[in-house]
Amino acid sequence: MIEKNIEQNPTELLKKIENLHPSDVALSLKKINKKNSDDFIFVLKNLPDEILGDVILELPEKLREFAYNELSIEKLTDAVDELESDDQTDILQEIEEVNEDKAKEIFDGLEEEDKEEISWLKRYEDEEAGAYMQTELFSANLNETIGDSIERLRIAKEEDEIENIHQVFIVDKNKNLVASILLEDLIIFDYKKTYKQLLKENDPNRFKPYKVNDDEDIKDVAKQFEKYNLSVVAVVGYQNLLIGRITSDDILDVIEDKATEQMYQLAGVDDDFEHDDLVTTAKKRAMWLFLNLGTAILASIVIGFFDQTIQAYVALAVLMPIVASMGGNAGTQTLAVMVRQMALGEIDFENSKDAIKKEIFISLFNGVLFALLIGIIAYFWFNTALLGLVIGMSMIINLFSAGFFGASIPLLLKKYNIDPAVGSTVLLTTVTDIVGFFSFLMLAKLILL
């Protein structure tokens, strides 16, 4: 279905532009750019102003920078003018990073109201809810009738002043947020009544608004969206003053960015690697590989302590990687579960005991299960019952350590303000390798020799 909306011919794409979503246009432009960058710019320059900004924001970072450099100030100003306040702020901040003078000229070309809103939104830090809000919303005063407010909304929609309206936010004379009513509920009430009358006639909790503070962490806001299945949330400032709203499309971006960041970090890859040149990317990965080399050397040193044991019993060299591999995989499973639950706010250092106990029990259960399995395999493979006992006991010890440290390491890192997704994997691999090799070889030395 997606492929049907991709058009790689520049002329045909412009002909079909009215029937395509901005994300489909952006995807088509990515394909076009791979073939010919001149065609890419040709399409951008001929896109209608009302969708150009949305299309640019859907492009990858490198293509956005290319577009900012190639498009004229007039074209970009018209495109920014069509966007909502939060997207206006985002695109201007990106242009500033590419060409500060160009961004200033675009800003100066906007209407005064837009400039005030952008200047207001730029005050917020990247992780604050205010940085993700848009100031365009539908609100009504307590003393306004339902009919009058709906007429205002109708006019605003006709003039394309507002979009994606889900509800009306009710405010008092000081613009403090009082209630929130879904449009689907609003249409069943008497249009002649004021909102004040409507609120008095209903349960106070029926129209209780979902709201967040403008300085609240956006990750906490995202959790509220997930928990309560929200499509929009009001943003309030000092003394409950209604100043904006955050919609689900922005929160989806936050959730996706966070998930992507954690996936990269668990793999020891910088989340900016896609935008770096080859040398920079290679250097960043080399740093992690260098750290892994150090941990591998530690594991090798442990093996070196038992070189005579291995020489006396060559079968140990064959079975040794199995213990370390099983411990590493079991630890990674535990680690992934813990980091995910911590990211969702379900586990922290204070209430972690039950989670650690659960992971230890699972690891011990699997340890016993696979100890019996590999013990039998080793017995028939090398015709030595004691060898099966050694690797079985070692399997239990290593999977226990994998469960315990896989659950504990991310919690400890979090306690000391270190991102668990970044450092946990390297530390856990070190532990499972060293414990696995040491337990296996020490048991072999004590039992077999």
Side-chain angles (χ1 to χ4, degrees):
M1 189 67 178
I2 293 176
E3 292 296 327
K4 291 181 180 180
N5 294 330
I6 297 176
E7 178 56 64
Q8 300 189 42
N9 183 294
T11 306
E12 291 299 317
L13 176 59
L14 289 171
K15 287 181 181 178
K16 300 176 181 177
I17 208 70
E18 292 183 0
N19 300 318
L20 296 175
H21 189 276
S23 61
D24 294 324
V25 178
L27 190 57
S28 298
L29 282 169
K30 286 170 62 178
K31 302 282 187 181
I32 290 171
N33 182 69
K34 287 184 178 180
K35 293 182 178 180
N36 191 320
S37 59
D38 290 336
D39 286 342
F40 170 80
I41 295 300
F42 167 76
V43 174
L44 277 182
K45 287 182 177 179
N46 287 279
L47 285 178
D49 295 335
E50 55 267 24
I51 69 164
L52 176 57
D54 290 318
V55 170
I56 290 175
L57 288 172
E58 292 287 343
L59 292 171
E61 185 175 339
K62 281 191 175 182
L63 288 184
R64 293 203 302 271
E65 291 179 4
F66 184 37
Y68 298 147
N69 283 319
E70 294 296 323
L71 292 175
S72 67
I73 291 172
E74 292 75 16
K75 188 69 175 176
L76 286 170
T77 302
D78 292 338
V80 172
D81 186 56
E82 295 289 338
L83 294 170
E84 294 178 328
S85 55
D86 56 336
D87 290 332
Q88 285 181 326
T89 306
D90 289 341
I91 204 168
L92 271 174
Q93 288 178 321
E94 288 186 353
I95 296 173
E96 276 183 0
E97 294 176 2
V98 176
N99 188 326
E100 193 171 338
D101 293 333
K102 196 170 191 177
K104 186 178 185 305
E105 289 192 54
I106 294 169
F107 180 80
D108 292 339
L110 299 173
E111 296 178 2
E112 285 301 319
E113 184 179 352
D114 289 335
K115 289 195 280 190
E116 289 177 6
E117 290 174 348
I118 292 168
S119 297
W120 175 268
L121 293 175
K122 286 175 70 176
R123 299 183 310 109
Y124 293 101
E125 299 293 332
D126 289 343
E127 296 301 317
E128 289 183 321
Y132 293 84
M133 74 175 179
Q134 55 186 237
T135 56
E136 298 87 357
L137 50 78
F138 176 38
S139 64
N141 190 276
L142 275 171
N143 296 316
E144 188 176 11
T145 65
I146 297 172
D148 288 343
S149 67
I150 289 179
E151 177 61 18
R152 283 194 299 105
L153 176 61
R154 185 189 66 78
I155 295 171
K157 290 295 292 181
E158 282 183 351
E159 297 177 356
D160 290 328
E161 291 181 359
I162 196 166
E163 59 184 33
N164 296 325
I165 298 302
H166 305 276
Q167 60 212 134
V168 54
F169 296 112
I170 314 303
V171 296
D172 61 18
K173 63 180 180 180
N174 297 317
K175 294 189 177 181
N176 294 326
L177 181 63
V178 176
S180 172
I181 306 175
L182 292 171
L183 294 186
E184 61 189 45
D185 291 332
L186 194 63
I187 59 176
I188 67 174
F189 298 121
D190 185 350
Y191 283 16
K192 294 179 182 179
K193 289 185 177 180
T194 65
Y195 285 101
K196 192 171 186 178
Q197 292 174 313
L198 179 63
L199 295 179
K200 281 185 177 180
E201 294 171 358
N202 287 271
D203 187 324
N205 292 320
R206 180 177 180 182
F207 303 123
K208 185 177 180 181
Y210 286 102
K211 60 184 179 180
V212 297
N213 292 317
D214 59 342
D215 59 354
E216 195 167 336
D217 193 308
I218 192 62
K219 295 173 187 175
D220 295 331
V221 177
K223 290 172 186 175
Q224 289 193 44
F225 269 81
E226 291 181 294
K227 182 177 180 180
Y228 299 111
N229 196 27
L230 302 176
S231 57
V232 65
V233 68
V235 181
V236 297
Y238 180 65
Q239 292 187 337
N240 202 42
L241 182 70
L242 178 64
I243 58 177
R245 62 174 181 156
I246 297 176
T247 52
S248 57
D249 58 324
D250 292 315
I251 293 301
L252 285 173
D253 291 338
V254 172
I255 294 171
E256 181 182 351
D257 290 344
K258 183 61 180 175
T260 303
E261 177 188 353
Q262 288 189 340
M263 180 178 67
Y264 286 158
Q265 289 176 340
L266 280 171
V269 178
D270 193 292
D271 61 335
D272 290 329
F273 83 96
E274 292 178 332
H275 312 300
D276 294 331
D277 56 54
L278 291 175
V279 175
T280 304
T281 301
K283 286 181 179 179
K284 288 181 177 180
R285 294 194 188 184
M287 291 175 62
W288 284 101
L289 291 173
F290 181 79
L291 187 58
N292 284 330
L293 176 62
T295 61
I297 290 173
L298 286 175
S300 297
I301 290 172
V302 171
I303 295 172
F305 291 149
F306 299 95
D307 56 342
Q308 293 182 353
T309 305
I310 296 172
Q311 289 176 12
Y313 227 101
V314 179
L316 298 175
V318 178
L319 297 174
M320 196 163 51
I322 297 175
V323 179
S325 176
M326 289 293 290
N329 286 329
T332 300
Q333 289 175 343
T334 301
L335 186 63
V337 170
M338 292 297 293
V339 171
R340 176 61 177 162
Q341 289 182 315
M342 289 169 67
L344 293 174
E346 297 175 2
I347 296 176
D348 55 30
F349 194 80
E350 286 71 26
N351 65 352
S352 59
K353 287 185 179 179
D354 289 340
I356 294 175
K357 288 178 181 178
K358 178 182 177 181
E359 293 302 327
I360 289 175
F361 175 80
I362 292 171
S363 297
L364 280 173
F365 176 83
N366 284 330
V368 173
L369 174 64
F370 287 99
L372 291 172
L373 182 61
I374 191 63
I376 294 170
I377 291 172
Y379 168 64
F380 285 104
W381 192 353
F382 296 100
N383 198 30
T384 305
L386 289 179
L387 183 59
L389 175 65
V390 167
I391 194 171
M393 292 174 62
S394 178
M395 186 72 72
I396 294 172
I397 293 170
N398 203 24
L399 263 65
F400 165 79
S401 69
F404 176 75
F405 288 105
S408 303
I409 287 174
L411 288 165
L412 288 170
L413 291 177
K414 185 70 174 179
K415 184 180 180 181
Y416 293 103
N417 297 319
I418 301 172
D419 191 338
V422 176
S424 296
T425 305
V426 174
L427 292 174
L428 180 62
T429 302
T430 303
V431 170
T432 54
D433 283 352
I434 290 176
V435 171
F437 291 141
F438 182 82
S439 61
F440 182 54
L441 294 174
M442 178 58 75
L443 287 169
K445 183 177 182 178
L446 295 174
I447 296 173
L448 297 176
L449 299 182

